[in-house]
Amino acid sequence: MENIKNIMKKADKCLECSKPTCIIGCPLDNDIKGFIKSIKEEDYKSAYNILSKTTVLESACGRICPHEKQCQGACSKGIKKSPVKIGDLEKFIGDLAIKNNWKIRSKTNISYNVAVIGGGPAGLTCAAFLRKNGIKVTLYEKHDYLGGLLSHGIPEFRLPREITEKTIERIIDLGVEVKYSEILGKTITIEKLEKKYDAIFIAIGANISNRLKVPGEKLKGVYGGNEILENHLKIDFENKKIVVYGGGNVAMDVARTINKLGANVTIIYRKSEAEMPAEIKEIKAAKEEKINFIFNSNITKIIGKKEVKGVELIKTHYNSKTSLLENIKGSKYKLECDYIIRAIGSHANRRTMNSLKLKLNNNGKIKIGKKGNTSNKKIFAGGDAAGNISTVAWAARAGRNAAYSIIEYLNK
């Protein structure tokens, strides 16, 4: 944990603006001004109480949120100077809450019975806010552990397992009942859950890596980044040449994970570095770890007979007339490699989605309204399975908002 002296220096940089733009930049609408003011006053418990009104993932979000693009990116001090290190301050309070076992406040009365399907950021947050408001919750999880991408999608070097486990433990201690190894469409069905519960929240994620749709993709040695991170696939990467195709945080996470196993890793992105959706600090960390980058290049073919031997690439540029990204004719080139890792987005299990008997959008995800409501008035959804923005904070917001929507629905 960072020492108090450094924390106070960071807190003192906050100007306590009359109109704090940092809050606008926060997906969870955390009262950033309020909790930092409490830190300045050395009232850390109050800082925690302020934060816990809107979030239950302080320690996680403080570490892994793309702060440069969210709260810190909106900090008014950042216009002329460096912004307040809001993430570090949130992490400090979250860790202090874990260390001192500060409890999440909740109502003791129990009413109604809600099923939450999926134990990732959206599901955990929904369960927490339902319990905080006196609703009985049963959480169904397909794995034998909770956390979703907090546990299997974000490497240990970014989010320590102990922090994740302690964060989850505090949520479960609210009185959430958990049923593990329950797979929607197999061991449990929506029809049975509808009969048993007053409402249902679906947050099953969308963790199946999208395909490249190029020749050679079925060769041995082509993997999905999400699957490598989630399933801890035992692959010998040492001294191998690896191509990771993509520019988001999954690409950075899987590239850095494999790089630490002794591989020679190259990240290929179809656009420029400035357009990469990954966090700036993660791109910087990858470069410091000697990971190679190739920008403005598309994979057109994977080379090999039975297993991967390389990739054929083509350079890209923006057409000034159409403002569209296009391949440059005659610019194809080849790169030797032993493995290809796909990290260009993900989708939910289509069979599972169809089994829900809910309206889906054009991307095959659950169609939801502004309150997380689905085509079935008793069922709500959020997170990646419902097409929400794919960050932990936005997933948590979807879960929190759905909890309030469910409470509203139940009390009608």
Side-chain angles (χ1 to χ4, degrees), residues 216-222 302-309:
E217 189 163 12
K218 293 184 178 180
L219 290 172
K220 183 180 179 182
V222 181
I302 299 172
I303 302 166
K305 292 184 178 180
K306 291 185 178 180
E307 56 188 35
V308 173
K309 294 296 180 183

Coordinates of all heavy atoms in Angstrom, one line a residue, residues 216-222 302-309:
G216 N -6.5 -19.8 -43.6 CA -5.5 -20.4 -42.7 C -5.8 -20.3 -41.3 O -5.0 -20.7 -40.4
E217 N -7.0 -19.7 -41.0 CA -7.3 -19.5 -39.6 C -7.5 -20.8 -38.8 O -7.4 -20.9 -37.6 CB -8.6 -18.7 -39.4 CG -8.9 -18.2 -38.0 CD -9.9 -17.1 -37.9 OE1 -10.5 -16.7 -39.0 OE2 -10.0 -16.5 -36.8
K218 N -7.8 -21.9 -39.5 CA -8.0 -23.2 -38.8 C -6.7 -24.0 -38.6 O -6.8 -25.1 -38.1 CB -9.0 -24.0 -39.6 CG -10.4 -23.5 -39.6 CD -11.4 -24.4 -40.4 CE -12.8 -23.8 -40.3 NZ -13.8 -24.7 -41.0
L219 N -5.6 -23.4 -39.0 CA -4.3 -24.1 -38.8 C -4.0 -24.2 -37.3 O -4.5 -23.4 -36.5 CB -3.2 -23.3 -39.4 CG -3.1 -23.3 -40.9 CD1 -2.1 -22.3 -41.4 CD2 -2.8 -24.6 -41.5
K220 N -3.2 -25.2 -36.9 CA -2.8 -25.4 -35.5 C -1.9 -24.3 -35.1 O -1.0 -24.0 -35.8 CB -2.1 -26.8 -35.4 CG -1.7 -27.1 -34.0 CD -0.9 -28.4 -33.9 CE -0.5 -28.7 -32.5 NZ 0.3 -30.0 -32.4
G221 N -2.2 -23.6 -34.0 CA -1.4 -22.5 -33.6 C -2.1 -21.2 -33.6 O -1.5 -20.2 -33.3
V222 N -3.4 -21.2 -33.9 CA -4.2 -20.0 -33.9 C -5.1 -20.1 -32.7 O -5.9 -21.0 -32.5 CB -5.1 -19.8 -35.2 CG1 -5.9 -18.6 -35.1 CG2 -4.2 -19.9 -36.4
I302 N -3.0 -16.5 -43.1 CA -2.1 -17.2 -42.2 C -1.4 -18.3 -43.0 O -2.1 -19.1 -43.6 CB -2.9 -17.8 -41.0 CG1 -3.6 -16.6 -40.2 CG2 -2.0 -18.5 -40.1 CD1 -4.5 -17.1 -39.1
I303 N -0.1 -18.3 -42.9 CA 0.7 -19.2 -43.7 C 1.0 -20.5 -43.0 O 1.4 -20.5 -41.8 CB 2.0 -18.4 -44.2 CG1 1.6 -17.2 -44.9 CG2 2.9 -19.4 -45.0 CD1 2.8 -16.2 -45.1
G304 N 0.9 -21.6 -43.7 CA 1.3 -22.9 -43.1 C 0.5 -24.0 -43.8 O -0.5 -23.7 -44.5
K305 N 0.9 -25.2 -43.6 CA 0.2 -26.4 -44.2 C -0.7 -27.0 -43.1 O -1.9 -27.1 -43.3 CB 1.2 -27.4 -44.7 CG 1.9 -26.9 -46.0 CD 2.8 -28.0 -46.6 CE 3.5 -27.5 -47.8 NZ 4.3 -28.6 -48.4
K306 N -0.1 -27.4 -42.0 CA -0.9 -28.0 -40.9 C -0.8 -27.1 -39.7 O -1.8 -27.0 -38.9 CB -0.4 -29.4 -40.5 CG -0.7 -30.4 -41.6 CD -0.2 -31.8 -41.1 CE -0.6 -32.9 -42.1 NZ -0.2 -34.2 -41.7
E307 N 0.3 -26.4 -39.5 CA 0.4 -25.5 -38.4 C 1.0 -24.2 -38.9 O 1.5 -24.0 -40.0 CB 1.4 -26.1 -37.3 CG 2.7 -26.5 -37.9 CD 3.5 -27.3 -36.9 OE1 3.0 -28.1 -36.1 OE2 4.8 -27.1 -36.8
V308 N 0.8 -23.2 -38.0 CA 1.2 -21.8 -38.4 C 2.7 -21.7 -38.6 O 3.5 -22.1 -37.8 CB 0.8 -20.8 -37.3 CG1 1.3 -19.4 -37.5 CG2 -0.7 -20.8 -37.1
K309 N 3.1 -21.0 -39.7 CA 4.5 -20.7 -40.0 C 4.7 -19.2 -40.2 O 5.9 -18.8 -40.2 CB 4.9 -21.5 -41.3 CG 4.9 -23.0 -41.3 CD 5.9 -23.5 -40.2 CE 5.9 -25.0 -40.2 NZ 6.8 -25.5 -39.1

